[in-house]
Amino acid sequence: MIPISDNIYSWKKPIITYWLIGINLFIFCWELSLDINDKLGYFVNSWGIIPEQTHTAFTNAIFYNSAAWIVVFWRLFSLPFSLFLHSSFSQLLGNLLFLWVFGKTLERILGQQRYLLLYLVAGIFAGMIQIFMEPKLTVPVIGANGAIASILGAYIMKFPKTKIDSILPLIIVFIPVEIPAFFYLFWWFVQQLFYGIGSLNIPGGVNNLGYWGQFAGLVTGAAFMRMVERR
């Protein structure tokens, strides 16, 4: 299933969504240039989330050596930047497609500031949950999956039955269909089985944000929308 657009129209332009898509595309092109020059591995290891390093530094800072807080702060600083790194063409396209379809309407509902706040805070929180749930993971965790999951969670909380214009590809035939937004809550997790397609050459490998982190993002988005509606 390929979501194309919803049927909620507005004259307001989703400026933040445009910027987020543009930044993600720019940084991915940067990754491609680093990949060509065999520098991508160092770049991703420097700016991706490495749970084992962060967890070890945090433990050392609390119980053994206060100087380890420098490493903790450096690794936590990488959390927002890691949201804009992607390991494959399929991961990038999948995330940006969901961001476009569900994000543009959500931006109009929440407003630019709250929408951007949700994207960044939920993405960072998802990364922190991933560190907590997989403290022994030694490869970088990258991707906007947690932030996009929060957008999806907030959207479905607000518009669970809204019809999403979609395309069902059958070999060479593309069939237009309308699917309830709630269906994409399930399909979001299924489609990530294909995120290895078109992977970049990153020595040592990477780990796309796991399901624990994405579930945290999903819940954060839904809770944020509920809080906004109650105000």
Side-chain angles (χ1 to χ4, degrees):
M1 297 294 181
I2 303 175
I4 302 299
S5 182
D6 59 16
N7 53 15
I8 302 174
Y9 300 100
S10 172
W11 59 270
K12 295 181 180 179
K13 292 185 178 180
I15 302 299
I16 300 300
T17 300
Y18 290 155
W19 271 102
L20 290 174
I21 291 174
I23 292 172
N24 277 284
L25 288 173
F26 174 80
I27 293 181
F28 191 75
C29 290
W30 188 7
E31 289 183 71
L32 291 177
S33 67
L34 293 173
D35 192 12
I36 294 173
N37 296 306
D38 295 324
K39 297 179 180 179
L40 182 58
Y42 175 79
F43 178 75
V44 171
N45 277 277
S46 296
W47 293 101
I49 306 168
I50 303 181
E52 191 274 337
Q53 288 186 8
T54 307
H55 185 268
T56 300
F58 187 72
T59 302
N60 289 336
I62 293 178
F63 298 105
Y64 304 108
N65 185 358
S66 59
W69 283 111
I70 298 175
V71 180
V72 173
F73 290 137
W74 169 255
R75 279 304 172 189
L76 292 180
F77 180 74
S78 70
L79 280 169
F81 194 85
S82 67
L83 299 179
F84 298 94
L85 300 177
H86 292 84
S87 63
S88 68
F89 285 93
S90 53
Q91 184 192 20
L92 175 73
L93 294 176
N95 281 344
L96 295 190
L97 182 60
F98 269 71
L99 177 60
W100 168 250
V101 173
F102 300 100
K104 65 181 189 298
T105 296
L106 199 62
E107 180 180 346
R108 294 161 181 159
I109 297 298
L110 294 176
Q112 294 179 351
Q113 294 181 347
R114 288 191 298 186
Y115 173 71
L116 181 59
L117 179 66
L118 172 62
Y119 185 92
L120 295 176
V121 171
I124 292 171
F125 178 66
M128 295 176 66
I129 292 296
Q130 198 66 35
I131 293 171
F132 176 77
M133 297 304 299
E134 294 189 273
K136 300 299 182 181
L137 190 62
T138 58
V139 297
V141 178
I142 61 176
N145 304 34
I148 305 300
S150 73
I151 299 299
L152 181 61
Y155 185 98
I156 292 175
M157 176 61 68
K158 180 68 175 179
F159 307 109
K161 297 182 180 180
T162 295
K163 300 297 183 181
I164 305 298
D165 294 331
S166 309
I167 292 179
L168 173 61
L170 296 175
I171 308 178
I172 59 174
V173 178
F174 292 84
I175 301 176
V177 293
E178 287 189 344
I179 299 174
F182 190 81
F183 169 83
Y184 280 101
L185 179 63
F186 164 76
W187 186 245
W188 164 253
F189 291 98
V190 173
Q191 72 163 10
Q192 295 179 55
L193 297 174
F194 306 99
Y195 274 7
I197 299 175
S199 295
L200 301 181
N201 181 28
I202 303 175
V206 295
N207 189 296
N208 298 328
L209 188 69
Y211 286 134
W212 280 110
Q214 294 183 62
F215 181 74
L218 193 72
V219 173
T220 301
F224 186 85
M225 179 57 72
R226 177 61 64 88
M227 181 180 66
V228 169
E229 290 181 333
R230 286 182 175 179
R231 294 184 62 180

